[in-house]
Amino acid sequence: MAAGKSIFGKAIGFAAGLMGAGAGNAAAQTTDETAARAQAEAEHERILRSLRLVVRDAGYAAHRNRILADRGAQPDDVIFTTPFAKGLELILVIDEPTTSKPWMQRDLDLYKVTQAEIMALGRRQVLAILPSVPPADAVAGGVVMVPKMDYLASLMLADGWDELDAALGGNLLVAVPSDDVLIVADARAADIGAKLPAFVKAQFDDASRWVSSLVYRRQSGAWVAVE
């Protein structure tokens, strides 16, 4: 009888050990899944916080999409883009420490956001790192080159340009020959009409990240190219 109790006790202990091991494995798996989910959510948040809405030359996205297609990209694996003004388009980029990569059309579904939501987020975040629109007294009667910095062409997205144009009597001119160059001018300045286009074209030709060789003015709250 004693021997039977001993064997039965061992059997119970063995079964309890198996159950404990199973419960431990299940708990560990749940912990791993929770940690992986939290890590994925944190990465999604990081990417969303790094989004910038940037100004590029019209055709930039199409050129990059052709390269992607040649490499076997899927139909939805294309750069998200929208027109902005003549010669210009808007794209979203993920701003990494040493580079940037474009936001793709498929990312709208992946991150469960609409085009309007993601463009508003990218606009707000890029403008947060850029200087303000130059004041009228700095531009009046001359030309201002805003100090160079990445994504500076996106300052065209800021509020305040219509007010500046009104302060200059409707004579505001703006050019973005490069991603990091923005030129603001008063069309009433001496020889500005003759000299500015050539100056902008020279800046465009020398740029490593060119955007547009055109000069723009405000019309009905939008940018239009000076013909």
Side-chain angles (χ1 to χ4, degrees):
M1 190 68 162
K5 289 180 65 176
S6 175
I7 293 171
F8 186 62
K10 289 180 180 178
I12 291 176
F14 179 68
L18 287 178
M19 292 174 63
N25 289 339
Q29 182 177 357
T30 299
T31 301
D32 290 345
E33 290 174 351
T34 301
R37 184 164 55 250
Q39 184 176 1
E41 290 174 354
E43 178 64 8
H44 276 207
E45 285 296 319
R46 184 193 70 80
I47 289 174
L48 289 175
R49 286 195 302 270
S50 71
L51 282 178
R52 311 285 184 257
L53 185 62
V54 300
V55 177
R56 289 290 181 263
D57 59 295
Y60 172 89
H63 172 70
R64 291 290 298 272
N65 286 336
R66 285 193 295 270
I67 295 174
L68 291 172
D70 290 342
R71 295 175 179 174
Q74 298 300 310
D76 65 343
D77 199 20
V78 296
I79 295 173
F80 170 79
T81 183
T82 185
F84 183 47
K86 182 177 180 179
L88 301 175
E89 66 186 20
L90 299 176
I91 70 166
L92 285 155
V93 300
I94 301 167
D95 188 23
E96 301 285 8
T98 58
T99 186
S100 64
K101 58 184 180 181
W103 175 270
M104 310 302 285
Q105 190 68 35
R106 57 176 162 72
D107 291 330
L108 294 172
D109 291 332
L110 179 63
Y111 289 85
K112 295 178 172 47
V113 291
T114 66
Q115 293 186 11
E117 289 170 340
I118 206 65
M119 288 181 66
L121 176 64
R123 176 183 180 272
R124 183 169 65 251
Q125 291 180 162
V126 76
L127 291 177
I129 64 173
L130 294 176
S132 301
V133 172
D137 58 357
V139 182
V143 178
V144 172
M145 286 190 66
V146 180
K148 284 189 173 186
M149 64 181 300
D150 287 342
Y151 310 132
L152 186 56
S154 293
L155 192 59
M156 292 181 79
L157 300 168
D159 296 326
W161 291 111
D162 288 329
E163 291 76 7
L164 177 56
D165 185 43
L168 298 176
N171 292 286
L172 172 68
L173 298 176
V174 168
V176 284
S178 175
D179 172 75
D180 59 354
V181 173
L182 187 138
I183 302 165
V184 186
D186 182 349
R188 298 170 298 184
D191 298 328
I192 195 68
K195 293 181 178 179
L196 185 61
F199 179 72
V200 172
K201 181 63 165 58
Q203 292 282 321
F204 175 82
D205 291 340
D206 290 341
S208 58
R209 297 192 304 272
W210 68 87
V211 176
S212 175
S213 61
L214 300 175
V215 177
Y216 297 88
R217 59 184 178 85
R218 295 296 287 178
Q219 179 177 302
S220 302
W223 293 107
V224 296
V226 177
E227 303 295 344

